[in-house]
């Protein structure tokens, strides 16, 4: 059973646009929600993370929005750039520190 | 400086062979992991290990075994390789108190023919 559902599977955005990736979780024991960015041929890298005591966290052009009651969180990439083209994974951890990953979103930003 | 390194980068082998992938981290972390990423890019945890505890994902065949000579190294041994083992394998590490923050290596692409 997939505990973290991520959508969309793929996303194409024009340069300067907003990229939005959504995730939903089921396990209420989760208390840490990171996003990882993976470029082709590289390992995933931690991009930004949030804990459920806040509803939003912003780092540069990247923002996580968190809705605890709906058990949903999302990544917003403002002013998307071609260099943002990558696969993005949401994840959730809690209790056990081993994260559960979403299935990933392939983002392409056209120049 | 490389934080988490893996060797080899690519590994091509035949069915039935036994192979190992090495992982080293120079971050001083106390916990290391192995992940499998399939062709659809799904990341699946295989093992989590520190000097006190080995957590094995119950879906991982016992042909896979982690071996840690010291805190900075966690190698992955695979016996009797099968076609379905073809994937990219990632090593990762984290530190107590920050275990939710994982640092991944560059991956090893294993192809079984």
């Amino acid at each position: 059973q997939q505990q973290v559902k991520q959508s969309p599977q793929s996303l194409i955005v024009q340069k300067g646009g907003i990229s939005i990736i959504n995730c939903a979780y089921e396990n209420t024991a989760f208390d840490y929600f990171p996003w990882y960015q993976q470029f082709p041929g590289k390992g995933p890298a931690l991009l930004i993370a949030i804990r459920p005591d806040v509803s939003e966290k912003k780092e540069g052009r990247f923002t996580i929005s968190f809705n605890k009651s709906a058990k949903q969180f999302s990544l917003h990439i403002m002013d998307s750039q071609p260099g943002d083209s990558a696969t993005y994974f949401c994840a959730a951890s809690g209790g056990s520190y081993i994260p559960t990953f979403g299935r990933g979103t392939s983002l392409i930003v056209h120049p | 400086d490389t934080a988490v390194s893996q060797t080899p980068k690519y590994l091509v082998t035949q069915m039935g062979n036994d192979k190992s992938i090495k992982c080293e981290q120079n971050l001083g972390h106390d916990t290391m992991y192995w992940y499998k990423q399939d062709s659809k890019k799904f990341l699946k945890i295989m093992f989590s290990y520190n000097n006190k505890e080995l957590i094995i994902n119950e879906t991982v065949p016992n042909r896979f075994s982690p071996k840690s000579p010291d805190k900075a190294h966690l190698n992955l041994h695979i016996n009797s390789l099968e076609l379905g083992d073809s994937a990219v394998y990632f090593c990762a590490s984290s530190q107590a108190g920050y275990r939710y923050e994982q640092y991944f290596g560059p991956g090893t692409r294993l192809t079984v023919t």
Side-chain angles (χ1 to χ4, degrees), chain A residues 10-107:
Chain A
S10 61
L11 181 61
I12 299 174
V13 174
Q14 291 296 122
K15 179 181 176 182
I18 302 174
S19 303
I20 302 175
I21 305 171
N22 300 301
C23 285
Y25 64 98
E26 300 166 0
N27 189 344
T28 55
F30 290 147
D31 63 357
Y32 180 78
F33 302 88
W35 286 87
Y36 286 83
Q37 180 188 54
Q38 183 180 24
F39 292 107
K42 305 292 184 182
L46 181 63
L47 182 64
I48 186 174
I50 196 169
R51 293 194 181 272
D53 53 345
V54 297
S55 60
E56 185 176 282
K57 183 175 181 179
K58 183 176 181 180
E59 290 184 1
R61 296 183 294 107
F62 299 89
T63 300
I64 300 178
S65 297
F66 185 82
N67 185 330
K68 187 174 181 178
S69 60
K71 293 188 285 186
Q72 296 175 347
F73 58 110
S74 60
L75 176 69
H76 295 238
I77 306 174
M78 310 301 288
D79 186 26
S80 298
Q81 300 296 311
D84 297 331
S85 298
T87 299
Y88 292 81
F89 295 91
C90 64
S93 305
S96 163
Y97 48 82
I98 298 173
T100 298
F101 283 87
R103 289 191 171 269
T105 296
S106 176
L107 171 65

Side-chain angles (χ1 to χ4, degrees), chain A residues 2 31-32 34 36 38-46 51 87 89 93-99 101-104, chain B residues 9 31 33 35 37-38 40-43 45 48-50 53 55 90 94 97 99-107:
Chain A
Q2 184 183 353
D31 63 357
Y32 180 78
Y36 286 83
Q38 183 180 24
F39 292 107
K42 305 292 184 182
L46 181 63
R51 293 194 181 272
T87 299
F89 295 91
S93 305
S96 163
Y97 48 82
I98 298 173
F101 283 87
R103 289 191 171 269
Chain B
K9 176 73 171 175
T31 304
Y33 313 80
Y35 287 84
Q37 186 172 49
D38 62 22
K40 295 185 179 180
K41 297 212 168 184
F42 180 53
L43 273 168
I45 183 77
S48 164
Y49 182 79
N50 62 24
E53 185 179 28
I55 299 176
F90 289 101
S94 67
R99 283 194 178 139
Y100 293 162
E101 300 177 7
Q102 302 206 345
Y103 293 78
F104 284 79

Side-chain angles (χ1 to χ4, degrees), chain B residues 21-90:
Chain B
I21 305 172
K22 295 184 177 181
C23 176
E24 177 182 4
Q25 54 94 5
N26 63 7
L27 298 168
H29 289 171
D30 65 351
T31 304
M32 298 182 72
Y33 313 80
W34 276 105
Y35 287 84
K36 178 181 181 180
Q37 186 172 49
D38 62 22
S39 59
K40 295 185 179 180
K41 297 212 168 184
F42 180 53
L43 273 168
K44 173 184 171 182
I45 183 77
M46 300 178 71
F47 304 100
S48 164
Y49 182 79
N50 62 24
N51 58 4
K52 298 178 183 177
E53 185 179 28
L54 171 64
I55 299 176
I56 303 171
N57 185 323
E58 64 272 11
T59 66
V60 175
N62 57 16
R63 297 181 295 103
F64 291 79
S65 59
K67 297 191 189 305
S68 179
D70 55 57
K71 281 181 57 175
H73 298 82
L74 183 65
N75 303 324
L76 181 65
H77 295 267
I78 316 171
N79 296 325
S80 303
L81 278 155
E82 301 178 356
L83 291 176
D85 298 332
S86 295
V88 180
Y89 292 84
F90 289 101

Side-chain angles (χ1 to χ4, degrees), chain B residues 1-35:
Chain B
D1 289 342
T2 302
V4 181
S5 60
Q6 297 177 228
T7 54
K9 176 73 171 175
Y10 300 96
L11 182 56
V12 180
T13 188
Q14 293 183 330
M15 287 176 56
N17 286 348
D18 302 338
K19 290 293 180 183
S20 295
I21 305 172
K22 295 184 177 181
C23 176
E24 177 182 4
Q25 54 94 5
N26 63 7
L27 298 168
H29 289 171
D30 65 351
T31 304
M32 298 182 72
Y33 313 80
W34 276 105
Y35 287 84

